[in-house]
Amino acid sequence: MPILSRPALVEHLVRTRIAGDVATPRDNNLSHYRKLANGDRHYWLGLELGDRWTDEQDVLAVMAERCGVIDDPAHRAGQDTIDPELTVDGLDRMAARLRKAAAGKERVLFATGHPGALIDVHSRIAAALRAQGCDIVKIPGGLVADEGYVVQFADVAVFERGASLWHTHSPEPMNAILDALGEDGRPDLVIADHGWAGRAGQRGVDSVGYADCNDPALFIGEAEGTMQVTIPLDDHVLDPRYYEPMTAYTLHAAGLTD
């Protein structure tokens, strides 16, 4: 695949609604910010935020700065946005961390709560790091969490229940993996999303995560230094292939392509 320039990638992100005018509505975003501020742990995505973020306007301010949502608190419904320039900035920060992982031949764990959209993104990066000598973590068999199973496809840990792969925000699958691996098997880096990424960061593992504009916790985690990188994007667009130019750009920026 040809590597897009930064301006061309920005255009692609906007055209496919990975960023720009995204599908997630404003009222949904504000509802999630309010629930996080009210202490609903479902929206903390595995992070421990204590009483530091009890004002939803503070959450909105972080999301405007780091994700690019509309910063006007009076804007309560309708369209909201992700700044595509911030998306590419996040990809560049991620690429720098991937270069470090490749140079150190680190142990890297991949996981996703959005298997229908992001599994191929994670899998392609895993393959590129393996080609550089990194150890892509193989999770132990028989792991259970949230009345389901933690399994692995194409190097990516996912949550399975009822013979289907589930969309999940829960941190418990990541807890199950890290507990089973123990200190000796602990990864150097986790690349994930949702509660998988947040809980890894909370447990002291370098964590890079993708996050939508209605998932503020990972952006707060990066602001506080618990997350290494959080990349803003719509995490489930119409066609998973829309993410391919973004992944190619990241691998090229990391020096992981031929």
Side-chain angles (χ1 to χ4, degrees):
M1 175 176 292
I3 307 302
L4 298 183
S5 66
R6 181 182 179 113
L9 180 59
V10 165
E11 188 279 331
H12 170 80
L13 296 174
V14 171
R15 178 172 51 81
T16 58
R17 301 188 75 183
I18 294 172
D21 290 341
V22 293
T24 310
R26 176 66 166 194
D27 56 338
N28 182 263
N29 285 345
L30 295 181
S31 172
H32 286 203
Y33 304 169
R34 181 168 57 255
K35 289 173 181 177
L36 180 148
N38 288 340
D40 188 333
R41 286 177 173 268
H42 175 77
Y43 297 92
W44 288 12
L45 300 183
L47 295 165
E48 294 297 332
L49 303 180
D51 59 0
R52 300 184 299 279
W53 297 91
T54 57
D55 186 338
E56 67 178 281
Q57 299 307 319
D58 292 339
V59 179
L60 174 59
V62 168
M63 293 303 292
E65 176 188 8
R66 293 179 174 267
C67 183
V69 301
I70 296 167
D71 62 0
D72 180 4
H75 179 56
R76 308 299 298 177
Q79 183 66 55
D80 213 339
T81 57
I82 293 174
D83 185 342
E85 297 288 349
L86 294 178
T87 303
V88 182
D89 287 346
L91 296 174
D92 287 338
R93 295 196 304 278
M94 179 182 184
R97 187 60 186 86
L98 293 176
R99 283 196 300 274
K100 178 182 176 183
K105 301 190 186 308
E106 293 182 347
R107 282 176 52 77
V108 186
L109 171 65
F110 291 83
T112 185
H114 257 296
L118 297 179
I119 194 169
D120 191 53
V121 174
H122 290 301
S123 181
R124 287 170 183 258
I125 296 173
L129 287 177
R130 177 180 282 113
Q132 296 294 318
C134 288
D135 178 11
I136 306 305
V137 174
K138 181 177 177 63
I139 69 170
L143 298 183
V144 295
D146 296 331
E147 300 180 345
Y149 297 93
V150 187
V151 297
Q152 197 166 29
F153 291 98
D155 293 322
V156 186
V158 293
F159 179 68
E160 180 186 42
R161 188 174 175 185
S164 298
L165 302 185
W166 278 48
H167 169 212
T168 178
H169 287 213
S170 173
E172 294 308 319
M174 181 56 72
N175 272 337
I177 294 172
L178 295 179
D179 288 347
L181 291 174
E183 285 301 314
D184 290 342
R186 180 185 178 94
D188 300 302
L189 174 64
V190 166
I191 300 175
D193 45 70
H194 286 176
W196 305 79
R199 183 48 55 91
Q202 187 63 48
R203 291 185 58 163
V205 181
D206 280 7
S207 183
V208 171
Y210 301 101
D212 209 328
C213 54
N214 64 353
D215 290 327
L218 297 190
F219 296 98
I220 289 172
E222 186 180 13
E224 293 193 327
T226 310
M227 293 289 301
Q228 293 280 302
V229 180
T230 299
I231 301 107
L233 48 70
D234 186 317
D235 54 16
H236 201 138
V237 293
L238 181 64
D239 188 338
R241 289 175 294 187
Y242 290 163
Y243 296 108
E244 290 178 0
M246 177 190 83
T247 306
Y249 174 93
T250 305
L251 293 175
H252 179 74
L256 299 181
T257 53
D258 294 334

